[in-house]
Amino acid sequence: MAELTLQTLAGSGLVIGAYPRFRYDARGGGGVGRLTEEDGSGAQALQFEPDALRIPPLDWRTTRFLGLPLPPGLAITIHPQRLDGSLDGATGAMALRFCARFRFAIGSLYRAPDLIVDTTLSTGPVQGRRHQATGQPLDGAGLAQLVGVATIAPSGDPFLDRFLGLPDEALALLRCRIGPLAPDGRDLP
């Protein structure tokens, strides 16, 4: 069983409902995953420990909307619950089930109930009712783009549900680098 590192990168994005795309610089996030032996079809199971995954928050430092940073104090933190699936070493194709709780807050004044996101992040095409995108398979430098469409259920908070138009779809675009972990636990270049 081999270990791989996942590093989240700039150039990621998020679209919620009918809103324009949020530009998201996800640099600084990631985690370590375990890759099993090939199963004969070329695919290998890839699993990340959710408690050890770090995904930077969407806030004024990392996120731009309509060309402007999010207002200071507004933040959406991401709390992964699951990230696992398969990787085809020959083609670079990946499909990872991603489940997370998204927590929307405005400073200490307002904290909404968690929004639950459950989707498959893929390097192939994804299609929903409202959104569509195509990912990019893992290349020789270890770079990939994962995309996924999820239906977001109402949170139960009338303000947030009305503001986001829930229930509706969300589209996630995650640029990342995946590579081997050196024997001393450091990422290989």
Side-chain angles (χ1 to χ4, degrees):
M1 188 176 295
E3 289 190 324
L4 294 178
T5 61
L6 167 73
Q7 297 172 320
T8 56
L9 303 174
S12 298
L14 178 68
V15 183
I16 300 173
Y19 283 95
R21 180 181 296 182
F22 288 81
R23 303 265 177 220
Y24 175 46
D25 182 346
R27 284 180 293 186
V32 176
R34 287 183 208 73
L35 188 64
T36 64
E37 296 296 319
E38 189 179 314
D39 67 3
S41 70
Q44 296 174 273
L46 179 57
Q47 180 174 7
F48 293 88
E49 183 59 45
D51 293 339
L53 278 174
R54 182 186 177 302
I55 301 175
L58 286 90
D59 62 18
W60 67 272
R61 291 179 195 91
T62 63
T63 309
R64 298 183 79 77
F65 181 69
L66 298 174
L68 300 171
L70 290 181
L74 190 148
I76 302 169
T77 56
I78 304 168
H79 303 271
Q81 309 291 301
R82 177 180 180 176
L83 184 62
D84 57 43
S86 64
L87 166 65
D88 185 318
T91 66
M94 284 188 287
L96 300 174
R97 173 95 182 268
F98 175 65
C99 301
R101 294 179 176 275
F102 282 57
R103 295 184 181 146
F104 179 88
I106 301 172
S108 60
L109 302 174
Y110 173 76
R111 295 196 190 285
D114 290 353
L115 295 174
I116 308 301
V117 173
D118 187 347
T119 189
T120 297
L121 295 172
S122 170
T123 56
V126 296
Q127 174 76 49
R129 288 181 302 103
R130 183 189 292 274
H131 302 295
Q132 64 181 12
T134 301
Q136 296 172 344
L138 199 61
D139 67 15
L143 299 174
Q145 178 167 288
L146 296 165
V147 294
V149 174
T151 298
I152 309 299
S155 70
D157 180 314
F159 166 75
L160 184 63
D161 293 345
R162 194 169 33 257
F163 180 69
L164 295 178
L166 300 179
D168 207 332
E169 282 184 349
L171 170 66
L173 303 102
L174 179 66
R175 291 197 37 77
C176 61
R177 175 179 285 117
I178 296 181
L181 191 68
D184 63 3
R186 292 181 300 121
D187 297 343
L188 291 177

